[in-house]
Amino acid sequence: MELGSHEDDLGRLLVESYGRAYRTAYLIVRDPGEAEDAVQEAFLRVWRFRDALPEGDGFQPWLYRVLVNTCYSHLRKEIPRRGRTAGPDPLDHLSAPEPSPEAAATTSSTAEVVLAALDDLPGHLRVPAVLRYWTGLSEKEIAVAIRRRPGTVKSRLHEARRRLAADPRIAALGSGSGENG
């Protein structure tokens, strides 16, 4: 998406980005209220500094840098790691049309396992994985968003994938499924 010079363009981009930003924040902080607060605070910061926004393709990485930093701030001050609980997924309203009951049950079970395994990753691995696989940022964009070198992002993504693949809960998904993928 290109960012125009008008405030209307920024407002439209923020509205269009809200769902992905909320999902990203939720996957980082694992609390619906904290995720909502983080997104609102990040969007206010973006609005406040709208005159300094990068043009063109630089907007999304910049937005996620602000969002990730805001999430980290919320984690430091609000929620001790052991006190976070996943609970029901508050992101259901952001998904596609209703699947069949069988597909919904399978998807829900799989999502719970993946989210639990993702939640067990240390933050320095979880955040790049969330930004890559749930938000869709490139490695280069992630590097901008988390202020790390692209090689660091690549190695963190590799380690996150390795740990997730080694997680017995995720391994059980692959071995217990007789379906075609």
Side-chain angles (χ1 to χ4, degrees):
M1 276 187 235
E2 264 191 47
L3 182 63
S5 60
H6 298 92
E7 290 180 1
D8 289 345
D9 291 338
L10 177 58
R12 180 182 48 78
L13 282 172
L14 291 175
V15 168
E16 290 172 2
S17 300
Y18 184 83
R20 280 181 46 192
Y22 177 79
R23 180 173 291 277
T24 300
Y26 176 76
L27 290 169
I28 294 170
V29 300
R30 300 296 286 147
D31 179 270
E34 288 297 318
E36 180 87 22
D37 290 348
V39 172
Q40 289 177 7
E41 187 176 327
F43 279 22
L44 283 173
R45 287 180 186 171
V46 168
W47 188 259
R48 190 176 312 129
F49 297 105
R50 64 189 172 273
D51 293 335
L53 290 177
E55 293 291 326
D57 292 339
F59 173 73
Q60 288 294 328
W62 189 81
L63 169 66
Y64 284 97
R65 177 176 17 181
V66 172
L67 180 62
V68 167
N69 288 339
T70 304
C71 288
Y72 281 153
S73 294
H74 278 256
L75 286 173
R76 278 192 301 271
K77 70 180 179 181
E78 296 292 332
I79 308 171
R81 171 120 173 97
R82 65 181 169 267
R84 276 186 265 143
T85 58
D89 189 352
L91 305 175
D92 288 340
H93 69 281
L94 299 176
S95 61
E98 293 295 317
S100 71
E102 296 82 15
T106 301
T107 300
S108 177
S109 298
T110 302
E112 286 175 18
V113 167
V114 172
L115 287 174
L118 184 68
D119 199 35
D120 286 345
L121 289 176
H124 74 281
L125 299 177
R126 185 176 62 252
V127 170
V130 166
L131 292 174
R132 179 72 183 114
Y133 301 111
W134 278 268
T135 306
L137 296 184
S138 69
E139 289 177 4
K140 183 178 177 183
E141 291 170 327
I142 295 167
V144 170
I146 67 171
R147 293 183 176 172
R148 295 289 183 259
R149 293 180 181 174
T152 301
V153 170
K154 189 172 194 150
S155 67
R156 287 182 181 183
L157 287 171
H158 176 77
E159 179 63 11
R161 284 190 305 268
R162 186 192 70 74
R163 289 189 187 192
L164 289 171
D167 188 294
R169 297 168 292 191
I170 291 180
L173 289 175
S175 65
S177 170
E179 298 175 6
N180 295 333

